[in-house]
Amino acid sequence: MNSVKIPPAVTEFYRDALTARAGGDPVAVLERVLADDFRSRNSQEAKDKATLMRQFAGLWKMMPDLKFEPQEMLAVEDRVIVRSVASGSPSGSFMGVECDGSRSFRIDTIDIHRVVDGRIAEVFHVEDWMTALRQISAR
């Protein structure tokens, strides 16, 4: 296997689309870094580019402190594996739990990105959402 540099699209994905910031625009970033036929896959479903853009626009509004912080990135051929920590303090209904922004979560995530022509064509992802639910539901 040949190691390669981390493509800028993957770095931008975490820094400018998955991590909320005042004045940022996740939709514009995702439009640029994701391939037109992009698919986000987990064990239950596959989302297209438009669905992911809507989802992150909503998450930024629900969690202005949302962060996905890469801890490790490994690139081999057309794949980039990212281990990150996601955190945020949701307000509103989050995964069936009513939140007021006073409780936060911090979870581990792992993504495998396939990059084609400099854009992310596909991502396989796993997030520890059960831990997030326990953290925001704790009394």
Side-chain angles (χ1 to χ4, degrees):
M1 291 196 276
N2 297 325
S3 292
V4 295
K5 290 174 62 173
I6 304 299
V10 174
T11 303
E12 291 176 45
F13 183 74
Y14 289 89
R15 184 189 63 219
D16 300 331
L18 274 61
T19 297
R21 72 169 120 233
D25 183 355
V27 173
V29 174
L30 293 171
E31 180 63 46
R32 183 175 65 253
V33 302
L34 301 180
D36 293 337
D37 60 350
F38 168 83
R39 290 291 179 266
S40 173
R41 301 180 189 280
N42 66 25
S43 62
Q44 301 298 309
E45 64 186 344
K47 296 177 188 171
D48 64 10
K49 181 176 180 174
T51 301
L52 193 71
M53 290 191 307
R54 282 191 305 274
Q55 181 180 6
F56 271 90
L59 287 173
W60 274 41
K61 289 178 185 167
M62 176 186 289
M63 286 181 274
D65 65 344
L66 179 65
K67 291 180 186 169
F68 277 75
E69 299 173 288
Q71 305 298 300
E72 185 174 15
M73 292 183 163
L74 305 168
V76 179
E77 298 173 0
D78 67 343
R79 307 286 172 158
V80 179
I81 302 163
V82 180
R83 179 177 60 84
S84 65
V85 173
S87 62
S89 305
S91 292
S93 181
F94 180 70
M95 301 182 86
V97 176
E98 286 303 317
C99 301
D100 64 6
S102 66
R103 294 200 177 273
S104 61
F105 66 85
R106 181 177 170 86
I107 61 170
D108 293 325
T109 75
I110 297 177
D111 301 318
I112 302 171
H113 301 270
R114 185 170 60 85
V115 179
V116 176
D117 296 329
R119 296 171 84 191
I120 301 169
E122 188 172 35
V123 62
F124 295 87
H125 58 95
V126 177
E127 298 90 12
D128 187 9
W129 291 118
M130 290 307 296
T131 295
L133 286 173
R134 279 195 305 275
Q135 291 170 352
I136 62 173
S137 299
R139 302 231 182 267

